[in-house]
Amino acid sequence: MNKGKKLYEGKAKIVYEGPEKGTAIQHFKDDATAFNNQKKSTVEGKGVLNNRISEHILNNLNQIGIKTHLIRRLNMREQLIYLVNIIPVEFIVRNIATGSLTKRLGIADGTVLSKPLIEYSYKNDELGDPLIAREHILEFKWVKNIKSLNFINDTCLRINDFMQGMFRGVGIKLVDFKLEFGITTIDGKEQIILADEISPDTCRLWDVVSEKKLDKDRFRKDLGNIIQAYQEVARRLGIIHEESNISTVKFGKPKAVNIKKK
Ligand code: 5GP
């Protein structure tokens, strides 16, 4: 599929104009960054795995009625998506305290939260994605009204419920994750849909038994075996086969997905 002009290049992805108005092509790179770009590297094969893992999760979410930007995967590194205006807020859902939550508040690492906690960060690299309150989101109209913000919150919790079950079934604890949402017009109506990606780059995933980290913390904390951890997640989700490693990964044809606007 022919790509149009580059619309945006982020740390791990590039978005190009799509073949039709209102569509775009999302390309997954192998670049890894952490600590607001202070740590950078290339992890060979990461983009391919994230493309497949995110496709798998977003397709499943679509099936349970959560609208996402994914239309279909195109190839090893690219997806056809609906073009959205990204809401400049990162929605972070936490089930277990770790990462910035423990640093900020001195909560013991690994504390199981009594219910999922949603936090908000303003998406702004220059400011280091600062933590914000719901009031900031409404005051600065990053989300247009409280009804829309409540809708996003409810969607975050539904996604958490679904993903916790999905990962628990393959022996993985969903510790926390980051979601992004965008606004698009479907059938003449403005809608908020899930955008970006869900992958080991955007989630914390721990093995249920050993608590081994199977996510981007392996890069952030120099734990090594990054790609093996991502492959392990893909294998457990049944996306790649038991014996595959990244050089032999053979992905089937992308699943046909109805691209009729939802
Ligand atoms: P923390 O706030 O503890 O650093 O991150 C919480 C969760 O959100 C983690 O799963 C982390 O991967 C994800 N997250 C937060 N901000 C970002 C970001 O800017 N990029 C990515 N890839 N993930 C993020």
Side-chain angles (χ1 to χ4, degrees), residues 145-162:
N145 56 35
I146 197 151
K147 191 169 161 241
S148 298
L149 185 53
N150 287 342
F151 168 78
I152 297 176
N153 258 43
D154 291 347
T155 307
C156 287
L157 295 176
R158 282 186 67 202
I159 293 172
N160 185 47
D161 260 4
F162 172 80

Side-chain angles (χ1 to χ4, degrees), residues 231-245:
Q231 279 173 354
E232 176 73 26
V233 173
R235 270 193 208 112
R236 291 203 199 178
L237 291 175
I239 296 167
I240 59 175
H241 298 298
E242 231 15 80
E243 69 283 3
S244 305
N245 63 50

Side-chain angles (χ1 to χ4, degrees), residues 12-13 26-28 46-64 66-70 73 79 81 86 90-93 95 152 155-167 172-182 193-205 214-216 220 230 233-234 237 239:
K13 294 185 293 291
Q26 174 166 260
H27 176 102
F28 288 76
K46 178 175 79 76
V48 172
L49 286 161
N50 281 350
N51 182 20
R52 286 293 269 121
I53 294 169
S54 194
E55 175 206 17
H56 179 84
I57 298 175
L58 267 60
N59 268 341
N60 276 287
L61 293 174
N62 271 326
Q63 277 165 22
I64 60 161
I66 292 171
K67 290 187 176 133
T68 81
H69 72 163
L70 179 67
R73 180 167 63 86
Q79 306 179 339
I81 58 171
I86 287 282
E90 294 184 347
F91 295 84
I92 293 164
V93 185
N95 298 305
I152 297 176
T155 307
C156 287
L157 295 176
R158 282 186 67 202
I159 293 172
N160 185 47
D161 260 4
F162 172 80
M163 289 216 299
Q164 265 194 316
M166 178 187 75
F167 280 119
I172 293 174
K173 280 190 219 178
L174 177 63
V175 175
D176 58 27
F177 58 99
K178 184 245 326 176
L179 298 174
E180 294 187 22
F181 292 83
I193 64 174
L194 179 71
D196 193 50
E197 68 176 291
I198 302 181
S199 72
D201 265 10
T202 63
C203 302
R204 283 199 178 93
L205 305 168
L214 299 170
D215 58 63
K216 196 174 160 188
R220 295 187 185 103
Y230 284 44
V233 173
L237 291 175
I239 296 167

Side-chain angles (χ1 to χ4, degrees), residues 66-78:
I66 292 171
K67 290 187 176 133
T68 81
H69 72 163
L70 179 67
I71 301 172
R72 64 188 162 91
R73 180 167 63 86
L74 296 171
N75 53 47
M76 298 278 272
R77 287 191 183 269
E78 290 171 338

Side-chain angles (χ1 to χ4, degrees), residues 1-6 15-19 25-27 74-75 78:
M1 187 173 288
N2 288 336
K3 291 196 277 276
K5 70 169 196 282
K6 194 195 276 188
V15 177
Y16 298 93
E17 264 175 359
I25 292 174
Q26 174 166 260
H27 176 102
L74 296 171
N75 53 47
E78 290 171 338

